[in-house]
Amino acid sequence: MEQQTIPLNDRDLSWLYFNYRVLSMAGEASVPLYERVKFLSIFSSNLDEFFRVRMPALLALHHLREGEKGALAAAQQEIARQLNEYGKIFTQSVLPELREKGIRVYYGESPAPEHLPSIRDYFYNTVLAYLQPVRIQFGQPMELFLENNALYLVVCLEDGGTGVVNIPSDHLPRFLRLSGNDVIFMDDVIRQHLGFLFPHVGITAAYSIKVTRDAEIDVDEFSGHLLQKVEDMLVQRQMGVPTRFLFDAAMPDALRDQLGEYFRIAALEMVPGGRYHNLRDLSDLPLPAAPSLEYPKMPPAHCHAIDLDKPLLDQIQAGDKMLHVPYQSYDYILRYFNEAATDPDVREIYVTLYRVASTSRIVHALMSAAKNGKKVTVMVELKARFDEANNLRWAKRMKAAGVRILYSIPGLKVHAKVALVKRKRGFSWDHTALLATGNFNESTARFYADHILFTRHQGITQELELLFIYMQTGIAPGKFNFMHFEHLLVAQFNLVDQFTSLIRAEAEAARAGKPARITIKLNNLQEKSMIAELYAAADAGVEIDLIVRSICCLVPREGIRVRRIVDRFLEHARVFIFHNGGEEQVYLGSADWMNRNLHRRIEVCFPIYDPVYRRQLKDIIHLQLTDNTNAVILGADARNLPVPREAGAAEVNAQRDTYAYVRQL
């Protein structure tokens, strides 16, 4: 099949349209006010990551390929449009509504006189300890290095000189709560006292700046021991080349150009912004308790298929169990690892860890298991972007506790989320497996929507053991008469071939005049060969429904509908449903359909054999396909389009209704 001719939407614009959907949630009056503040924070954080990870590629293509120059311009134009709307939502909607609720966030305004003493005391007693004011000399070699994503004020002095002072938001809270419910940016606490930092000369103006640096560094390019490679990479990342110089748009052009020359910033990397940067810090805005301004609480439900008074490992031996988090409690996952750590019959534990909680109770259970004499083997992915330092820290601690640590496979990331526990009772062994669509991370599990399977299925547990043998030895299943994967779909082995076969089987059924349907939920869809297979299936008459949260390069067409859901929880699960002549095949897993996932990672997708859980998954997916509140439809250009709702039609909110559904299971 000729992949080069298939229609595709631009990857980066598709992602930017996703982030625009996040921004639009901040502008919706139906979203509680405090939650709108959080969406503003998430949008800003997402955009920072885009400039660290994707903008370097766009800049490189702009310089290398004449035909790619339009991609950079289109992305920059879309970003400028979104930032303009961001400013309007924040200043003309969110801030005024906060003030109506008695919460005043000073935004470019002078604080009330009664606040000046407390601002003064905070500056001299706390903030001043972290400040490094310097005068810079234009035309001289650069003596000041702007740290990645750090905040600075450029200060214009009456004698014609220029000063720069850091805003230490990495060390102190970004906001100072004043008496009542008034709040001031730390930036303005410093602005109030610039005369102290640059004495004996007047201050004429101050403008905020920040530099974002390239974070896309391939650890496989380094030489030496892997741990040292990662540590070197973390240092190099902070020294990466600039991809964005964000400056206050009120700054005079002449000063901007001088700063660009001094800090060696190219014109393409200069982006005008507002008075304040790093508005991802809005997530830490000190807001008074007000339940009416937040989403209604959704305390995780108990999973009634699990008896809290009986050992979980024994219950799994009696039959599969499935969790839908965060609608159901993540405590069962913690219990699984805690029981494995202390059950005297458990001999071996195997786990893959991709993103670990900063205070991980799961890791503590694994360390306890090793200290309890069990053989514990953990594959720690040291190349998990932006989690490298945390994973490295935990890997060292686990190794010191006696855990056998497996580090990254050269050229591959291990993105699978699986665990295997082996017990020996008398002369017999039993195995239980834990397979998930999301990380073993109790922190993110509070707001990532995922599905988790506990199973004792002999075929699945045996194949999981084969995968861990491969990760330990490099010996692939199928060599030396080892078993092949028949139940699990594993990237690098059979995952692409099996998904291709499943899609083609639906196409054959459609051509034969039989019912044929495919429903797939992903975070990202970009890999050309899989998109081509979906196009071919739709052309054959297969009805295809896709739920794609973020990047979607597939162009919707007749027979293929694409939805996106952005709501209080991050839709993170990957779900694959094939009609299969009425005997539906349902898979869950860790794999998006991206080049990196299918060709440069170890991913695991796993079948759901229990008809009860297949029905639950189908019911949840049905709610997502009928959501007419927070879902949008993707147009042919990848933009978000509203879901049409017929007059009198019932309101469907997938996340709210999934919570109600799960509670009554």
Side-chain angles (χ1 to χ4, degrees):
M1 188 174 297
E2 180 56 55
Q3 296 182 17
Q4 303 305 314
T5 61
I6 66 172
L8 294 171
N9 278 316
D10 181 83
R11 166 189 173 145
D12 295 305
L13 284 177
S14 175
W15 184 92
L16 289 170
Y17 296 149
F18 152 68
N19 206 32
Y20 180 69
R21 179 62 187 137
V22 174
L23 176 60
S24 66
M25 291 293 286
E28 292 190 8
S30 60
V31 176
L33 182 57
Y34 284 7
E35 308 299 339
R36 293 169 64 192
V37 173
K38 292 178 184 176
F39 279 117
L40 288 172
S41 170
I42 294 167
F43 170 88
S44 184
S45 178
N46 287 347
L47 193 57
D48 278 350
E49 183 169 340
F50 181 85
F51 273 96
R52 296 195 70 189
V53 175
R54 290 303 304 167
M55 189 55 75
L58 287 173
L59 289 168
L61 287 172
H62 177 85
H63 293 301
L64 292 174
R65 301 180 191 170
E66 186 68 30
E68 298 289 347
K69 294 185 184 299
L72 176 63
Q76 290 176 324
Q77 183 178 9
E78 179 61 22
I79 290 167
R81 182 184 75 85
Q82 293 183 14
L83 287 175
N84 182 59
E85 185 161 343
Y86 186 103
K88 290 180 180 178
I89 291 172
F90 189 35
T91 60
Q92 299 176 22
S93 178
V94 171
L95 289 179
E97 289 188 40
L98 285 171
R99 188 165 295 188
E100 288 177 7
K101 303 297 182 183
I103 305 162
R104 181 175 186 175
V105 180
Y106 287 104
Y107 191 91
E109 313 159 75
S110 297
E114 63 266 23
H115 295 318
L116 295 180
S118 60
I119 293 173
R120 177 201 61 210
D121 291 346
Y122 184 65
F123 174 80
Y124 284 109
N125 298 334
T126 303
V127 178
L128 190 56
Y130 297 91
L131 301 184
Q132 298 97 43
V134 298
R135 289 185 68 139
I136 60 176
Q137 299 294 324
F138 294 129
Q140 300 296 317
M142 182 175 63
E143 296 181 358
L144 174 65
F145 180 82
L146 299 180
E147 296 181 6
N148 176 60
N149 274 341
L151 300 174
Y152 298 87
L153 289 175
V154 175
V155 185
C156 299
L157 308 175
E158 279 189 348
D159 63 4
T162 303
V164 177
V165 61
N166 61 307
I167 300 171
S169 58
D170 285 347
H171 303 283
L172 296 172
R174 182 73 184 280
F175 303 98
L176 173 64
R177 186 168 182 173
L178 304 168
S179 58
N181 288 322
D182 287 7
V183 177
I184 188 171
F185 280 81
M186 192 199 333
D187 316 36
D188 290 332
V189 171
I190 297 171
R191 288 175 190 266
Q192 293 282 318
H193 297 88
L194 289 174
F196 178 84
L197 299 174
F198 299 95
H200 315 305
V201 60
I203 309 296
T204 61
Y207 306 99
S208 57
I209 63 170
K210 85 166 185 177
V211 166
T212 302
R213 298 186 179 276
D214 183 0
E216 195 71 343
I217 298 173
D218 188 356
V219 81
D220 289 325
E221 294 178 356
F222 288 71
S223 59
H225 191 269
L226 181 61
L227 269 68
Q228 187 61 50
K229 288 182 187 180
V230 174
E231 290 174 334
D232 291 344
M233 179 271 293
L234 292 171
V235 173
Q236 181 168 335
R237 173 182 285 165
Q238 298 309 311
M239 306 290 288
V241 297
T243 60
R244 175 179 59 171
F245 180 81
L246 189 59
F247 61 93
D248 186 338
M251 178 186 292
D253 292 348
L255 176 59
R256 178 202 63 201
D257 294 342
Q258 286 179 309
L259 291 169
E261 184 176 352
Y262 181 79
F263 290 116
R264 301 169 189 167
I265 307 293
L268 283 171
E269 297 157 2
M270 290 195 163
V271 179
R275 178 182 174 91
Y276 306 96
H277 308 319
N278 277 8
L279 289 180
R280 65 173 185 263
D281 293 337
L282 287 172
S283 60
D284 298 321
L285 193 66
L287 299 170
S292 64
L293 302 181
E294 300 175 315
Y295 282 129
K297 299 297 182 185
M298 287 187 178
H302 170 54
C303 177
H304 294 287
I306 297 176
D307 187 336
L308 296 177
D309 293 324
K310 297 179 181 178
L312 179 57
L313 293 176
D314 289 345
Q315 293 183 68
I316 298 169
Q317 287 299 317
D320 289 358
K321 312 294 179 187
M322 178 174 285
L323 299 176
H324 312 291
V325 295
Y327 308 104
Q328 291 174 311
S329 175
Y330 198 76
D331 287 349
Y332 302 107
I333 309 301
L334 303 178
R335 179 168 177 169
Y336 177 80
F337 287 107
N338 291 341
E339 283 191 20
T342 54
D343 185 327
D345 293 327
V346 169
R347 303 297 177 86
E348 300 176 26
I349 304 172
Y350 300 86
V351 187
T352 59
L353 294 179
Y354 190 73
R355 299 192 189 276
V356 188
S358 58
T359 56
S360 176
R361 286 176 284 172
I362 291 173
V363 173
H364 278 289
L366 295 172
M367 292 192 293
S368 293
K371 293 177 181 178
N372 290 337
K374 304 177 190 310
K375 178 184 176 183
V376 183
T377 302
V378 179
M379 163 58 77
V380 180
E381 182 47 76
L382 295 183
K383 295 176 288 186
R385 185 192 294 144
F386 302 136
D387 277 88
E388 299 96 343
N390 185 55
N391 287 4
L392 183 62
R393 175 174 63 89
W394 278 120
K396 290 179 177 180
R397 289 190 62 182
M398 284 190 285
K399 188 172 183 179
V403 175
R404 183 187 181 195
I405 300 296
L406 307 177
Y407 293 119
S408 308
I409 297 171
L412 296 174
K413 282 185 180 180
V414 177
H415 191 247
K417 293 87 168 63
V418 293
L420 178 69
V421 172
K422 298 172 64 175
R423 292 194 302 186
K424 188 175 184 182
R425 290 184 162 178
F427 296 103
S428 64
W429 289 80
D430 65 45
H431 297 55
T432 58
L434 174 56
L435 305 102
T437 64
N439 300 302
F440 296 140
N441 184 317
E442 58 267 38
S443 296
T444 57
R446 292 180 290 107
F447 52 90
Y448 278 35
D450 278 302
H451 306 292
I452 301 160
L453 174 70
F454 298 106
T455 186
R456 65 173 179 82
H457 186 280
Q458 185 175 11
I460 291 175
T461 57
Q462 285 180 347
E463 292 178 11
L464 203 53
E465 191 163 16
L466 289 179
L467 180 61
F468 279 105
I469 290 172
Y470 168 70
M471 288 189 284
Q472 293 174 80
T473 66
I475 299 175
K479 290 186 178 181
F480 308 113
N481 297 319
F482 278 25
M483 288 173 53
H484 293 276
F485 292 118
E486 296 180 1
H487 300 275
L488 299 181
L489 309 185
V490 183
Q492 311 308 312
F493 296 99
N494 65 338
L495 186 146
V496 171
D497 289 344
Q498 287 299 314
F499 275 137
T500 299
S501 177
L502 289 165
I503 295 171
R504 291 180 178 178
E506 294 298 321
E508 284 297 317
R511 281 190 284 267
K514 300 177 182 177
R517 175 176 292 278
I518 298 171
T519 305
I520 296 175
K521 179 181 178 183
L522 296 164
N523 294 338
N524 301 290
L525 173 57
Q526 170 257 338
E527 207 271 351
K528 289 182 180 180
S529 67
M530 302 310 294
I531 292 175
E533 292 292 344
L534 292 174
Y535 285 156
D539 291 344
V542 180
E543 291 297 319
I544 301 175
D545 283 295
L546 305 176
I547 304 170
V548 184
R549 188 194 77 221
S550 185
I551 296 167
C552 182
C553 294
L554 175 144
V555 179
R557 61 202 291 181
E558 184 176 356
I560 308 181
R561 297 160 293 276
V562 186
R563 284 176 167 250
R564 166 179 290 145
I565 297 175
V566 174
D567 205 338
R568 65 188 293 171
F569 302 132
L570 182 80
E571 292 293 342
H572 191 250
R574 292 84 166 181
V575 183
F576 310 88
I577 304 174
F578 300 90
H579 183 68
N580 191 38
E583 298 293 329
E584 286 176 317
Q585 292 179 279
V586 179
Y587 289 86
L588 302 176
S590 61
D592 285 318
W593 284 3
M594 300 281 284
N595 287 333
R596 66 192 184 205
N597 299 86
L598 300 185
H599 305 298
R600 299 193 300 275
R601 292 185 176 183
I602 296 292
E603 304 273 10
V604 172
C605 292
F606 48 95
I608 303 302
Y609 290 134
D610 190 312
V612 171
Y613 295 126
R614 285 205 301 268
R615 169 51 59 188
Q616 289 179 14
L617 290 167
K618 286 181 57 183
D619 289 344
I620 292 171
I621 291 294
H622 175 73
L623 290 172
Q624 294 169 0
L625 291 174
T626 55
D627 186 307
N628 54 21
T629 56
N630 284 345
V632 293
I633 298 170
L634 298 197
D637 60 357
R639 293 181 184 270
N640 306 300
L641 303 175
V643 174
R645 189 195 306 180
E646 296 180 5
E651 178 185 277
V652 180
N653 180 288
Q655 294 191 354
R656 179 200 65 197
D657 296 344
T658 296
Y659 180 63
Y661 171 80
V662 167
R663 285 181 63 85
Q664 59 82 37
L665 287 175

